[in-house]
Every structure is written in C-alpha cells, then in structure tokens.
Amino acid sequence: MQSKQKEWKSLSLSNSPLTPTDKISDDALVIKQYKSLINKLIPLQQENRLLEGLNKFSSRLPSRVRNIIKDEVIRLTALTDASADNSEFARFPVLKFKHFGIAMRLDKVGREILQRETSRFFDRYTVGVFESVMNSEHYQSFIKQEQHEKIVKAFSVESQYFNDIDFADDLAIRPNFTVFSPAFDKGKACTLASLSHKTMVVETKRTPTIDAEHNVFIFTFPKVAGFTERQSELSYKLEATTFNKEMSVFESTFSLLPATSKKIVERLTNYVKSSVNQFPLQRELEIERVLQNLERDRILANSPWIPLFLGYKDDQLRPLFELMTPTNIEYNERYSNLTDLPAQKIYDNLIKELEIQKESFLLKGVIQHKNQEIHVAATHRQLATNGLVKQFIEQATQSDKFSVIQYRLESVSNSHKSVAFDIHDIIASEYSELSDITHILFCKDVSNWIGDLKIADPEPFKPFPKAIIDDLTRWPITAVMEDQSDRRAEARYLMNAPAFIKTGLFTQHEATLNDLSASGLKLTLQTPTEIEFDEIIKVSIKSLKLSGQKYQIVKYNKTSGVLHLKLPPQLVKSEGQKLRGLFNNNSEYFTQRDMSIRQRNIFRFLWELSIRNLPCASVLITNNRFTIDRLKTIYHKEDSFDLKPFAVLANEVPLHGFLADKDAIGPKSQLLEDMLRKNVRDAHVVHVERSKNKQIIFVNEQEFLFGKVRGQISEHVAKNAVEPFITHLSAMRCKDPNTPLTSKRLAQISKIDLNIYTKLNTMQKGYTHVLYITNVSLFHSVLLKFGIYPDKTS
C-alpha cells in the first residue's frame, strides 16, 4: 500500500500522460485514501448539497482529485436493480427474499448489512448498498466488529466508586420518633417511614381516615435534638396514599407547604443531613447504602494491601496505626510494617516522594561488604535518578533477602473521619490519636511475582550513598486487628496512675501504670535506667491499694523505659483472684477503661477510613455456572490509573482488555477460568501504547517477560516511542462469608425490613473471590529502561 501511494504521488506530480490501466489504479487509490470524506459527502448528495460539501471539506484538494471524489459519491448514491447474493462467503443459512422488489439471497449477517446500509443511503437501494452487501472484506469486518461488540458487552461490569453514594435531593432518613395530626387518622401517632427536607412519608396499618379539607394537615413534631427544642407544628399537603406490599403497610406521602418559613426548612435540611449516620435511611436508600458498605467491607477484608495510618508530628508524617487482617498477613508473609518499614531517614524520604507522586516501589536487600551484611533500601525513582538501578539489583539479589514493596499514599478527608466517628458512636475528644490521622499508606509485598532479576549489561561500580543504608531506627506503630485475631486471653484496662518499683531496701523508681489485667501490667519508668532488674520485683500502686505486689519481668526496654510484668506462676491464682474481685466491685469504672472496647472502636474507625480510600480497582466475583457471568461489580476511584490504557464508559467498565482471550471468536477467558477454578492467584496482563497514534497493542505475558519482544519494547521505551501498561491481577478467594462488620451493617436494615435483612445475609455466601487490578507500570518501566529482565530459569 505504501509503495503504491508513493507511486501515485510521483505520477501525479509528473507531466507524462497516464495509461488507462494506470488511471484506474490511480482512481482506486484516491477513493481508498479519501474513503472517510466520501462517507461524509453521501448524506449531502441525498440532500442535493454535494457541491456545498465538496467546497467545505475539500477546498484545498486538486481539481482532478475533487472530480474523482465527486464521481464516486454520485456513483454510490445511484439507484440499482442488481440482485444481491452473498452465498459464496455466507457463514449462516442463506434465505431468499425480496428487498424493494429485487431478489436477494443473503444470510443473517448479509441482511443486517443490507438493512444498515439502506438506512445510511436514506432508505434507497443504491450501488453503494449493493457493493457493501456483496463485498466479502466488508462482510468479514462487519463480523469482526459484531464479535468485538459481543465480547465488550460480555466483559462489561457495573461500576461504582469507593466514595459514599451521594443521594443528593433524594436523601431521606427514617427517624425514631412519631408525628400526629388531629385531622389525619383520628390523631393517632404515626411512624415516619421517610423524612426529607421537602417531603414526609408516614405509615399506617390500615387506610388512614382523613377529615381535613384541601388535603392540608398540621402535624405536630416532638422535641427533637438538632431540629426543635420543643414541640412544633409543620403544615404538609397530602400527595398520595399507597399500599406497600413488601412492608404490608399503607404509606401516605406529604409535601411541605411552599409557604413554610425558610428558617424552618433550613433547620430541617441540616437535621436530615446531620442524622444520616445516626438513623437508617428511607428503605430503598438504606438498602443501597448497606449493599455498598457490605461490598466495600468484603474488598477490604480480602485485600492483600496493608493499611498504615499516618499523622503529622513536628511537620512530618509519622506512622500511627497498622490495620491487620488474616488475609493481608498471609499475603505479605515476608513483610510487616512493624519490622520492615525502612529506617526513619529512608522512611522520611519515601514519604516526601509519595506526597508528590502518590505511588512508589521500595527495593530492599542485603549487600555483603567485607564480611559484613549491610541492609539497604531505596525507591525506584531514587535509584533511577542516581543511575544505581543495575548495581543495586545486581548486588541485592545475591542474597535471598531482596524484596520489592509497593506503596500508595491516600489522603484522608475530614468528612471521612467525621463519618467514621458518627457511624460507630465514637466521641472524637476521647480518641485524639484518631483525629490526628491525615493519610493512609497502603503497602504490599510484590516480590513473589517479580521473580529473580538479571542484569543484561552490568555497569562499573559506583559508591552507594549513605542515605540508602537501612538501620534499626524504626518509628513505633500500634498494630490493630479484629477481635477474632486478638489473641489476648483476658481483659486489659487502660490506666494512668503513679506507681513505684522497689529494687532494694532503700531504692525505688517512680513509674506510670499504663495498663492492667488480672495477671499482668505495663509500666513506664519516668527516668529510664540501664540497671539490670532482678527477675522478681515489687510494685506498689496507691490508687489500687496494691503494696509490694510481686511481679515477674517479661520484657524491659532500656531506651523507652517500658516494663512488661506478669504475676509469678505461684501467685496467679491467689493474687489474680483479688484483682478480678477489684474489677468486678468497680465494674462501672473499669468498663470505661476496658481496652478491648477501645481497641474495637479504633479498629472500626480505621476500617471506615480504609473502605473509602482503597488503593486499587477491585472486582467482586460471585458464584455462577458461567465464568464470565461471575463478574458482578467493579469498585474504583474516579481517576483510577489501574484501568489504563482503557477508558471507563458511563457506569460500566469494559474489562475485555484484561481478561478476554485475544484469539477467541466469542467471549471467553482462560485467564479468568484459571484464576477462579484452578486457584491461580497472580498474573500479568501487558499492553503497550504507541506514542505516535495512541494504538494499544496486547503483548503475551511470557513474551514480555522472557521473549525477544521484551528487548524490542525496552528499546522503544528508552526512546519514549511507546508507553508500557503492565497490570497485575490478583484473585483472592473469600474464605469467610462474613466480614468483621457484617453484623453491624445488617443491624440497621433488620429494623426496617426483616425479609431484606435475610436476603442480604444469605447473599454474603454467594461471593467467591475479589479480583484486584493494580497498575505496576512504574516499576516495570524502570526495568525496561535499564535492560533488566526476569530469569526464566528461576
């Protein structure tokens, strides 16, 4: 084609006459080159505006080319009586019929083409229609397009965002108070099924008795905190009364009169908005809210990401809490933030990078130097900037302690914290450490699927900067886990009381009692000391009337002065019984200090923040006979990079680019089949996008990792000619139908509709997997640029 175009250009520029054969070839090339223009001119020809269109679209074209285009448009729109027959290349049974009185022998696809082309030519049977029907190439492209549309439709999944559903003007709550009107249902107190800033729906067991004229009623509202300080009256107009079959009640809908004072409307609006987390919503809205919460809970419960919660201290983001679940502990078996988060200086550099870039990959390893192991850690950007990627990987991979950790930083809005406090009835002033949270750092160990990395062309050695040396200076982190995972056998109580530790006849140390249980306690010395304590020490706590109580040392931190103690085995029964008696006799005092309750509140608060700021696109998968039909819903952020290079269409996300078999005729996914039925957990899907024309090209995973194609892509990436998109898919099996918050989520709906509660509860057993879609192009781009590849033999 390219050589023919060059030939045409050279012929058209020369003065030599064209032979008839050359002229036909030349005309065909012009028609092919300007096919899109011809298609635009066809409707104008039908309206007798062909010359106007030619002047508009082709004013700069040579007159000869304009004439060829004009003649072709006229030819295609000319009527014909030629009989169409596509039996030579038909794929389906051919049927005989007549179209505009002209005999046809077409299959199903041929008839669809005939119908579409006839409508394009203003319901006329023209030469263009005939040629489209009889063109085998056009037939095949139609088949291919039709198949592609079927595949896209089959893999399109309903889309939702991680943010709470915004009900806007439809927002309505179901408060726990009743209203009454003397003129409505004989003045009986009526339950509110719905209350918004404009309307109100009241429930009655029977058809309500209506006495008022003009359908206007004055309803009395009780004293409601946040709305009215005393009984007040509001006028409503009756709109309709209907019978709700699902609830077996009559519902009467009222609208607030337009004449109502703006001040009252404003107070009512603020009350409804501020009460959305204290009360259930209107039945239909509450069902939507509960379903979203249950689905987001499931995504977090089965997520491989570890959420680490950060807050500012001395103008630096410091780690505060780590949310641990059985799944993220199992998935990240070689990584824990408590022990593997990098040294304070490296951590600070990592956070500064993440605040700008939002995502980073930390490479950790051990380098042997003069019979000494040196722990090192640096981000992929730091190594790339300093030209140390090859050297770092070459030396760090010589031990089995090399790892790559993916980090994503999400900022937490004040509205999310406010919602979390409200939903779980937590008083913010009593949990100041939770109010300090400003960011969530999601962490995931991706070492398992990267494999052993090899360097194609090693570079000369450069000295490593001291900044990448990882020492043992770690920021303290509080690990938070669900009740079922907490292995403590007895209740602990949060305390803050002065204590004394006697270490000799005349010597004692002042300390603070941090927490207490029946068999142990934790103290913090006011002045940490380097002395070695005896195994058994005596503790006195005046406020608890404990004097010279013997305790055995479990652990002592000489730097922080934290001392963990337990009762000696011979005293556990007697002294432990006395302490239990103390707790029981002062139950009200100690219940408020029960650390399990505090721990549960902290866990739920952190959970609520996490489900609204999840780090990657996630697909919920249910049980179904057909594999593709198991894709239920995808949750993602509005600006999700994980779905690149494909775009989100309205409220659906087409996942065919990640899952569909590329050579299959119809919708099919061997990858999805392997992940859901053969327990293949992790996989890569690779695409490259040409910078020049934005064309997306699929690359086989094995070819990308180990084949010749990798070298070609590497060369093009170095020249910025292509952009790689490497997507990591991780299918996590749902081992438990319930999550830590399932019972709490369903509690609200159980008060409204018991049938829906039962259905939603049963529905939880239908979820089988969550498929996490994560874009990992940043790290792989660095490997490609520096000529680093996985070792196939590993």
Side-chain angles (χ1 to χ4, degrees):
M1 172 64 192
Q2 196 171 8
S3 62
K4 287 184 179 180
Q5 283 181 328
K6 289 180 180 178
E7 179 188 354
W8 174 78
K9 288 179 182 178
S10 62
L11 286 171
S12 61
L13 292 172
S14 66
N15 295 322
S16 58
L18 297 175
T19 66
T21 306
D22 290 337
K23 188 175 185 306
I24 294 171
S25 176
D26 183 30
D27 291 354
L29 285 171
V30 171
I31 292 168
K32 192 167 186 177
Q33 184 177 359
Y34 293 99
K35 185 67 177 175
S36 58
L37 175 58
I38 291 169
N39 289 335
K40 287 180 181 178
L41 292 173
I42 285 173
L44 297 176
Q45 164 65 4
Q46 315 278 11
E47 299 171 3
N48 294 320
R49 295 167 53 207
L50 177 58
L51 292 178
E52 179 186 334
L54 278 168
N55 292 332
K56 181 179 179 181
F57 293 119
S58 60
S59 57
R60 295 184 181 180
L61 291 178
S63 59
R64 182 175 162 279
V65 173
R66 282 167 53 88
N67 288 332
I68 294 172
I69 294 172
K70 176 185 172 184
D71 293 341
E72 178 64 11
V73 172
I74 294 171
R75 188 185 73 82
L76 289 174
T77 54
L79 293 174
T80 182
D81 57 358
S83 177
D85 183 352
N86 77 336
S87 56
E88 288 187 8
F89 51 84
R91 298 182 57 173
F92 301 97
V94 175
L95 296 177
K96 294 181 181 180
F97 63 97
K98 286 191 176 182
H99 182 70
F100 294 132
I102 300 164
M104 302 281 164
R105 292 185 74 247
L106 306 175
D107 67 342
K108 181 181 177 182
V109 177
R111 282 179 290 159
E112 289 180 13
I113 295 172
L114 176 66
Q115 186 177 0
R116 190 183 70 173
E117 292 296 312
T118 302
S119 63
R120 193 164 74 91
F121 283 85
F122 285 60
D123 290 329
R124 302 166 70 210
Y125 185 56
T126 66
V127 173
V129 176
F130 171 78
E131 290 184 354
S132 295
V133 173
M134 295 297 293
N135 190 326
S136 176
E137 186 178 339
H138 183 77
Y139 179 92
Q140 297 301 328
S141 66
F142 186 87
I143 289 281
K144 193 173 181 180
Q145 181 185 346
E146 195 176 51
Q147 288 172 349
H148 180 71
E149 289 173 358
K150 287 180 180 178
I151 292 171
V152 171
K153 187 176 180 180
F155 284 95
S156 292
V157 183
E158 181 186 349
S159 166
Q160 285 211 42
Y161 297 132
F162 290 125
N163 295 331
D164 292 332
I165 300 171
D166 183 7
F167 294 108
D169 288 340
D170 294 331
L171 181 64
I173 61 172
R174 186 184 176 95
N176 59 359
F177 58 82
T178 58
V179 296
F180 69 90
S181 171
F184 182 79
D185 205 26
K186 300 179 181 179
K188 295 177 183 177
C190 300
T191 302
L192 279 173
S194 167
L195 177 66
S196 73
H197 67 291
K198 290 182 180 179
T199 61
M200 174 179 71
V201 179
V202 299
E203 291 180 354
T204 54
K205 292 184 179 179
R206 297 177 181 83
T207 307
T209 306
I210 299 174
D211 301 329
E213 297 178 358
H214 308 299
N215 292 338
V216 175
F217 301 84
I218 300 174
F219 278 92
T220 301
F221 282 69
K223 177 183 176 181
V224 179
F227 177 38
T228 60
E229 296 180 355
R230 57 182 180 276
Q231 275 195 356
S232 57
E233 295 181 342
L234 292 178
S235 297
Y236 281 89
K237 179 183 177 182
L238 178 64
E239 298 292 343
T241 297
T242 57
F243 181 70
N244 188 328
K245 293 181 180 179
E246 294 174 333
M247 301 292 292
S248 297
V249 293
F250 286 90
E251 294 181 340
S252 299
T253 304
F254 296 87
S255 59
L256 199 63
L257 291 185
T260 307
S261 114
K262 290 184 179 179
K263 194 172 183 180
I264 292 177
V265 173
E266 186 178 341
R267 276 163 44 195
L268 181 58
T269 303
N270 292 335
Y271 171 71
V272 171
K273 287 182 178 179
S274 63
S275 302
V276 291
N277 296 316
Q278 274 72 44
F279 299 113
L281 302 182
Q282 179 187 356
R283 179 179 174 275
E284 289 75 16
L285 304 185
E286 183 64 19
I287 292 171
E288 285 186 52
R289 181 167 73 170
V290 169
L291 189 57
Q292 185 196 38
N293 284 334
L294 289 170
E295 291 186 335
R296 291 186 302 187
D297 289 344
R298 186 163 303 282
I299 292 171
L300 178 59
N302 296 281
S303 173
W305 295 87
I306 304 173
L308 184 66
F309 300 84
L310 315 178
Y312 280 104
K313 187 176 181 181
D314 300 328
D315 296 327
Q316 294 288 333
L317 275 176
R318 299 284 182 256
L320 303 174
F321 301 96
E322 178 186 44
L323 187 64
M324 301 174 71
T325 65
T327 301
N328 67 29
I329 293 172
E330 180 185 349
Y331 189 93
N332 300 277
E333 55 184 351
R334 294 174 53 192
Y335 177 82
S336 168
N337 283 317
L338 300 177
T339 56
D340 297 319
L341 197 68
Q344 291 178 5
K345 186 178 287 187
I346 299 175
Y347 163 84
D348 289 341
N349 292 331
L350 170 67
I351 294 300
K352 287 176 184 176
E353 183 178 303
L354 283 166
E355 285 184 289
I356 300 170
Q357 303 294 343
K358 301 304 178 185
E359 181 180 39
S360 190
F361 291 82
L362 187 76
L363 286 75
K364 291 168 59 70
V366 174
I367 294 176
Q368 202 75 24
H369 179 67
K370 295 180 181 179
N371 298 324
Q372 182 184 3
E373 286 189 344
I374 300 175
H375 291 262
V376 289
T379 69
H380 72 285
R381 287 191 186 88
Q382 293 166 353
L383 294 173
T385 303
N386 296 312
L388 295 172
V389 177
K390 286 186 176 182
Q391 182 179 316
F392 186 98
I393 291 177
E394 183 181 12
Q395 296 194 27
T397 51
Q398 291 177 6
S399 72
D400 60 353
K401 296 179 181 178
F402 176 74
S403 62
V404 181
I405 314 299
Q406 184 178 9
Y407 293 101
R408 287 189 173 183
L409 187 67
E410 303 289 340
S411 58
V412 176
S413 67
N414 289 328
S415 62
H416 287 168
K417 289 191 281 188
S418 177
V419 167
F421 280 126
D422 290 346
I423 288 176
H424 299 292
D425 298 323
I426 301 173
I427 300 172
S429 59
E430 295 180 0
Y431 293 80
S432 58
E433 66 272 37
L434 298 181
S435 300
D436 292 339
I437 294 171
T438 57
H439 292 77
I440 306 177
L441 180 62
F442 286 95
C443 321
K444 185 173 67 168
D445 186 357
V446 295
S447 310
N448 288 339
W449 49 264
I450 284 175
D452 292 338
L453 300 176
K454 297 295 178 184
I455 311 300
D457 299 309
E459 293 180 343
F461 180 82
K462 297 178 184 177
F464 281 121
K466 291 182 179 179
I468 72 169
I469 297 176
D470 191 4
D471 54 33
L472 298 177
T473 56
R474 300 284 191 263
W475 293 111
I477 302 171
T478 302
V480 181
M481 61 188 73
E482 56 187 293
D483 295 343
Q484 293 86 341
S485 301
D486 196 335
R487 295 178 292 276
R488 297 186 182 276
E490 57 189 13
R492 287 183 306 149
Y493 303 101
L494 186 67
M495 307 296 291
N496 186 17
F500 298 93
I501 303 170
K502 193 169 184 180
T503 56
L505 190 60
F506 301 105
T507 58
Q508 65 179 17
H509 298 273
E510 293 184 7
T512 301
L513 175 65
N514 301 123
D515 64 57
L516 174 71
S517 70
S519 60
L521 51 81
K522 184 175 82 171
L523 301 170
T524 301
L525 273 67
Q526 292 187 4
T527 306
T529 177
E530 292 286 336
I531 67 168
E532 294 291 337
F533 288 105
D534 295 333
E535 187 180 355
I536 302 293
I537 60 174
K538 292 182 179 180
V539 177
S540 298
I541 305 169
K542 188 176 180 180
S543 60
L544 297 178
K545 298 180 180 180
L546 291 179
S547 179
Q549 178 66 59
K550 291 182 179 180
Y551 278 97
Q552 183 178 341
I553 293 179
V554 177
K555 185 170 63 175
Y556 173 55
N557 188 318
K558 294 179 181 180
T559 306
S560 63
V562 175
L563 193 62
H564 293 268
L565 306 172
K566 70 176 182 178
L567 286 171
Q570 64 271 21
L571 298 178
V572 169
K573 189 172 182 180
S574 58
E575 299 302 326
Q577 191 63 35
K578 290 180 183 177
L579 286 169
R580 289 188 187 91
L582 175 68
F583 301 151
N584 294 333
N585 294 335
N586 301 274
S587 59
E588 186 176 346
Y589 175 85
F590 282 102
T591 299
Q592 295 175 3
R593 287 158 177 78
D594 189 340
M595 291 188 70
S596 65
I597 296 174
R598 188 177 182 84
Q599 183 92 349
R600 187 182 305 118
N601 286 338
I602 292 174
F603 174 81
R604 289 180 173 180
F605 179 88
L606 300 180
W607 188 281
E608 289 295 336
L609 294 187
S610 298
I611 65 172
R612 290 165 175 79
N613 296 278
L614 290 163
C616 69
S618 310
V619 184
L620 287 163
I621 296 173
T622 55
N623 208 350
N624 197 293
R625 180 183 174 187
F626 302 103
T627 305
I628 297 174
D629 293 337
R630 295 176 66 174
L631 303 172
K632 181 181 182 290
T633 312
I634 180 168
Y635 279 82
H636 61 96
K637 292 183 288 187
E638 292 185 43
D639 55 345
S640 178
F641 185 68
D642 293 317
L643 301 175
K644 297 287 185 180
F646 305 101
V648 178
L649 303 174
N651 64 335
E652 286 189 337
V653 175
L655 296 178
H656 64 284
F658 301 115
L659 300 173
D661 289 350
K662 301 302 177 286
D663 300 326
I665 296 174
K668 187 181 178 184
S669 176
Q670 188 59 48
L671 174 61
L672 194 60
E673 189 80 18
D674 292 342
M675 298 187 97
L676 302 186
R677 302 191 187 276
K678 298 181 182 178
N679 294 327
V680 174
R681 193 183 69 176
D682 298 292
H684 282 91
V685 178
V686 184
H687 298 88
V688 292
E689 184 179 82
R690 285 180 178 166
S691 304
K692 186 177 180 180
N693 55 9
K694 300 300 179 183
Q695 182 184 359
I696 300 170
I697 303 168
F698 169 77
V699 182
N700 180 273
E701 179 184 359
Q702 294 300 309
E703 283 292 318
F704 170 75
L705 294 174
F706 311 115
K708 294 180 181 179
V709 175
R710 184 178 183 85
Q712 297 170 2
I713 295 174
S714 182
E715 290 177 8
H716 284 84
V717 168
K719 298 175 184 176
N720 293 322
V722 300
E723 183 178 0
F725 290 95
I726 296 89
T727 306
H728 175 227
L729 304 180
S730 184
M732 306 297 292
R733 180 177 288 278
C734 301
K735 296 179 180 178
D736 193 337
N738 295 323
T739 69
L741 268 71
T742 298
S743 58
K744 182 174 177 63
R745 302 297 190 202
L746 293 173
Q748 291 278 49
I749 201 71
S750 67
K751 301 173 185 176
I752 303 174
D753 191 332
L754 221 62
N755 290 331
I756 291 294
Y757 163 80
T758 304
K759 288 179 181 178
L760 289 175
N761 199 13
T762 305
M763 187 191 298
Q764 303 313 301
K765 300 175 184 177
Y767 294 96
T768 62
H769 296 77
V770 182
L771 179 65
Y772 298 91
I773 303 175
T774 311
N775 190 297
V776 290
S777 305
L778 282 176
F779 181 69
H780 280 280
S781 294
V782 170
L783 299 183
L784 290 167
K785 281 183 180 179
F786 287 89
I788 302 167
Y789 60 95
D791 184 10
K792 192 173 184 179
T793 60
S794 61

